Short mmCIF file of all heavy atoms in Angstrom, two decimals:
data_model
loop_
_atom_site.label_atom_id
_atom_site.label_comp_id
_atom_site.label_asym_id
_atom_site.label_seq_id
_atom_site.Cartn_x
_atom_site.Cartn_y
_atom_site.Cartn_z
N LEU X 52 1.87 8.83 -13.43
CA LEU X 52 2.68 9.17 -12.26
C LEU X 52 1.87 9.95 -11.23
O LEU X 52 1.98 9.71 -10.02
CB LEU X 52 3.90 9.99 -12.70
CG LEU X 52 4.95 9.26 -13.53
CD1 LEU X 52 6.08 10.22 -13.90
CD2 LEU X 52 5.50 8.05 -12.78
N LEU X 55 -0.53 7.48 -9.55
CA LEU X 55 0.15 6.62 -8.58
C LEU X 55 0.40 7.37 -7.28
O LEU X 55 0.22 6.81 -6.19
CB LEU X 55 1.47 6.11 -9.17
CG LEU X 55 1.35 5.07 -10.28
CD1 LEU X 55 2.73 4.73 -10.84
CD2 LEU X 55 0.66 3.81 -9.78
N ALA X 56 0.80 8.63 -7.38
CA ALA X 56 1.01 9.43 -6.17
C ALA X 56 -0.29 9.58 -5.40
O ALA X 56 -0.32 9.45 -4.16
CB ALA X 56 1.57 10.80 -6.55
N ILE X 59 -1.18 6.31 -3.63
CA ILE X 59 -0.40 6.09 -2.42
C ILE X 59 -1.04 6.83 -1.24
O ILE X 59 -1.21 6.27 -0.16
CB ILE X 59 1.06 6.57 -2.61
CG1 ILE X 59 1.77 5.74 -3.66
CG2 ILE X 59 1.82 6.48 -1.28
CD1 ILE X 59 3.15 6.25 -4.03
N VAL X 60 -1.39 8.10 -1.47
CA VAL X 60 -1.99 8.91 -0.40
C VAL X 60 -3.35 8.35 -0.01
O VAL X 60 -3.64 8.16 1.18
CB VAL X 60 -2.11 10.37 -0.85
CG1 VAL X 60 -2.84 11.19 0.23
CG2 VAL X 60 -0.73 10.97 -1.11
N ALA X 133 4.08 1.62 1.82
CA ALA X 133 3.72 2.25 0.54
C ALA X 133 4.85 2.22 -0.48
O ALA X 133 4.62 2.44 -1.67
CB ALA X 133 3.29 3.70 0.78
N VAL X 137 7.02 1.05 -5.80
CA VAL X 137 8.23 1.00 -6.62
C VAL X 137 8.31 -0.32 -7.38
O VAL X 137 8.84 -0.38 -8.50
CB VAL X 137 9.48 1.16 -5.73
CG1 VAL X 137 10.76 0.91 -6.52
CG2 VAL X 137 9.51 2.55 -5.09
N VAL X 175 13.95 10.37 -13.52
CA VAL X 175 12.53 10.40 -13.17
C VAL X 175 12.15 9.18 -12.34
O VAL X 175 11.41 9.28 -11.36
CB VAL X 175 11.66 10.49 -14.44
CG1 VAL X 175 10.18 10.31 -14.08
CG2 VAL X 175 11.86 11.82 -15.13
N LEU X 176 12.66 8.03 -12.72
CA LEU X 176 12.36 6.80 -11.98
C LEU X 176 12.88 6.88 -10.55
O LEU X 176 12.18 6.50 -9.60
CB LEU X 176 12.98 5.59 -12.69
CG LEU X 176 12.25 5.11 -13.95
CD1 LEU X 176 13.08 4.05 -14.67
CD2 LEU X 176 10.88 4.56 -13.60
N LEU X 177 14.10 7.36 -10.38
CA LEU X 177 14.67 7.49 -9.04
C LEU X 177 13.89 8.50 -8.21
O LEU X 177 13.67 8.30 -7.02
CB LEU X 177 16.14 7.88 -9.14
CG LEU X 177 17.09 6.80 -9.68
CD1 LEU X 177 18.48 7.36 -9.85
CD2 LEU X 177 17.10 5.59 -8.75
N ALA X 178 13.46 9.58 -8.85
CA ALA X 178 12.66 10.59 -8.14
C ALA X 178 11.33 10.00 -7.70
O ALA X 178 10.86 10.26 -6.58
CB ALA X 178 12.43 11.80 -9.04
N PHE X 179 10.71 9.18 -8.57
CA PHE X 179 9.45 8.55 -8.20
C PHE X 179 9.66 7.59 -7.03
O PHE X 179 8.86 7.57 -6.09
CB PHE X 179 8.85 7.80 -9.38
CG PHE X 179 7.64 6.98 -9.00
CD1 PHE X 179 6.42 7.59 -8.80
CD2 PHE X 179 7.74 5.61 -8.83
CE1 PHE X 179 5.30 6.85 -8.42
CE2 PHE X 179 6.64 4.85 -8.46
CZ PHE X 179 5.41 5.48 -8.25
N CYS X 180 10.74 6.81 -7.09
CA CYS X 180 11.02 5.87 -6.01
C CYS X 180 11.16 6.60 -4.68
O CYS X 180 10.62 6.18 -3.65
CB CYS X 180 12.29 5.09 -6.31
SG CYS X 180 12.16 3.94 -7.71
N ALA X 181 11.87 7.73 -4.70
CA ALA X 181 12.05 8.52 -3.48
C ALA X 181 10.73 9.14 -3.02
O ALA X 181 10.46 9.25 -1.82
CB ALA X 181 13.10 9.61 -3.71
N SER X 182 9.90 9.53 -3.98
CA SER X 182 8.65 10.20 -3.63
C SER X 182 7.66 9.28 -2.95
O SER X 182 6.75 9.75 -2.25
CB SER X 182 8.01 10.80 -4.89
OG SER X 182 7.44 9.80 -5.72
N THR X 183 7.79 7.96 -3.13
CA THR X 183 6.86 7.04 -2.47
C THR X 183 6.93 7.18 -0.96
O THR X 183 5.93 6.97 -0.26
CB THR X 183 7.13 5.58 -2.87
OG1 THR X 183 8.45 5.21 -2.48
CG2 THR X 183 6.97 5.38 -4.37
N VAL X 184 8.12 7.52 -0.46
CA VAL X 184 8.27 7.72 0.98
C VAL X 184 7.48 8.96 1.43
O VAL X 184 6.77 8.93 2.43
CB VAL X 184 9.76 7.88 1.35
CG1 VAL X 184 9.92 8.19 2.84
CG2 VAL X 184 10.54 6.63 0.98
N VAL X 185 7.58 10.02 0.66
CA VAL X 185 6.87 11.26 0.99
C VAL X 185 5.37 11.06 0.92
O VAL X 185 4.63 11.40 1.86
CB VAL X 185 7.29 12.39 0.04
CG1 VAL X 185 6.48 13.66 0.32
CG2 VAL X 185 8.78 12.67 0.14
N PHE X 186 4.90 10.47 -0.19
CA PHE X 186 3.46 10.27 -0.34
C PHE X 186 2.94 9.21 0.62
O PHE X 186 1.79 9.28 1.07
CB PHE X 186 3.14 9.90 -1.79
CG PHE X 186 3.36 11.02 -2.76
CD1 PHE X 186 4.30 10.92 -3.78
CD2 PHE X 186 2.63 12.19 -2.66
CE1 PHE X 186 4.51 11.96 -4.67
CE2 PHE X 186 2.83 13.25 -3.55
CZ PHE X 186 3.78 13.13 -4.55
N GLY X 187 3.78 8.24 0.95
CA GLY X 187 3.39 7.25 1.95
C GLY X 187 3.17 7.89 3.30
O GLY X 187 2.21 7.57 4.02
N PHE X 188 4.05 8.81 3.65
CA PHE X 188 3.90 9.53 4.92
C PHE X 188 2.64 10.38 4.91
O PHE X 188 1.86 10.39 5.87
CB PHE X 188 5.12 10.42 5.16
CG PHE X 188 5.01 11.29 6.37
CD1 PHE X 188 5.16 10.77 7.65
CD2 PHE X 188 4.72 12.65 6.23
CE1 PHE X 188 5.03 11.59 8.77
CE2 PHE X 188 4.60 13.47 7.35
CZ PHE X 188 4.76 12.94 8.62
N LEU X 189 2.40 11.09 3.80
CA LEU X 189 1.20 11.93 3.69
C LEU X 189 -0.06 11.07 3.78
O LEU X 189 -1.05 11.47 4.41
CB LEU X 189 1.22 12.70 2.38
CG LEU X 189 2.30 13.79 2.24
CD1 LEU X 189 2.26 14.40 0.85
CD2 LEU X 189 2.13 14.86 3.31
#
Side-chain angles (χ1 to χ4, degrees):
L52 292 179
L55 289 176
I59 295 173
V60 175
V137 172
V175 171
L176 284 172
L177 290 174
F179 173 77
C180 292
S182 73
T183 61
V184 176
V185 176
F186 292 117
F188 175 76
L189 292 176

